[in-house]
Amino acid sequence: MKFRPPDVFLGVLLTIAVFAAGLVFSASYYHSPPKQNPTEHPVHNEGGGKSAAVNGPEASRHHEQQEGKSEFWSAKLSDWALVAFTGLLVLFTYRLWKSTDKLWAAGEKQIAAAERSALVAERALADIERPYLFVFNVGRLTIEDFYEFDEDEVGHTLKVTYEVANHGKIPAIIESLRANLSVFTDPLDPLAADFDHPLIIAPVLAAGEKRVDIQTDVGWNDIETNEFGNTVPNFGDNTLFLRVVICYRGPFTRNHETSIGLRYDERTHRFVEFYTGEKYNFQT
């Protein structure tokens, strides 16, 4: 349990008040000793004999009782005045504690709000002063032929190029890159780039820098000629997809990722987004 300064202060004052009240009530049990009556002197009457003392024992006791009552009520009035003062002190202390507690709670809320504002400002500054890599300007699909000496036949490769640019205010350092062309009903996970990939060889992109003609390809031998006499790939019931995922960091920030996922459109021979594109196209 965490004790705050108002709680400790209230506890000390209440302890003092209770101790003072205890002293007041305990003091009421002790009365000052009765005053000693003056020595009674005998009085001689005219006959020469001694008479009884003046006022007698009964009068003396009555006088002592009157004095005792007077002192008792005087002490009681003082005790009750102290009790009332102690009660007022306790009430005032309680009200002061409540007010201080409210001020303390308000101060804690203000501190929490200030901390949240500082975090928001820091995050906003980090979002502004950070690198932003974008993959864009994906080219048209091209088909290249090559000769396979082992098979003694002509093979085909599907190729596409894209560009990467840093539109942030500070440099970007690429930590990993995965990209591929895949033929399936859904996009397949991209493959890690080889060590000789241009973005792996030179992984730092300065602010505003752009890399062009970055290429990815896949071998595909099911090639046919369409009604216009053009050579086109035949994917059957499947679709050709392009995936590019770049993980990078900045000088002061980490864990950034750019991802694109595009579908090949056979009518335009270009790559476009598809109905689940938001799953594969994002920027963090």
Side-chain angles (χ1 to χ4, degrees), residues 8 44-45 48-49 52 56 63 88 112 115 129 143 149-150 153 184:
V8 178
H44 297 274
N45 54 21
H63 180 70
L88 291 176
E115 290 178 349
E129 301 293 333
I143 303 175
F149 292 96
D150 295 338
E153 62 181 13
F184 200 62

Side-chain angles (χ1 to χ4, degrees), residues 87 100 107 138 160 163 231 258:
T100 306
V138 178
V160 66
E163 298 179 3
T231 302
T258 294

Side-chain angles (χ1 to χ4, degrees), residues 117-180:
S117 299
L119 290 176
V120 171
E122 182 180 357
R123 186 176 302 171
L125 180 61
D127 290 340
I128 295 173
E129 301 293 333
R130 54 154 287 189
Y132 283 95
L133 291 186
F134 289 90
V135 179
F136 64 103
N137 199 19
V138 178
R140 295 169 62 95
L141 182 69
T142 61
I143 303 175
E144 292 186 3
D145 300 335
F146 63 93
Y147 183 76
E148 293 182 354
F149 292 96
D150 295 338
E151 301 293 335
D152 193 22
E153 62 181 13
V154 177
H156 306 280
T157 301
L158 306 181
K159 292 185 178 182
V160 66
T161 60
Y162 58 90
E163 298 179 3
V164 176
N166 180 12
H167 291 293
K169 295 185 177 181
I170 56 178
I173 300 98
I174 296 177
E175 296 182 321
S176 68
L177 183 142
R178 293 173 290 140
N180 71 343

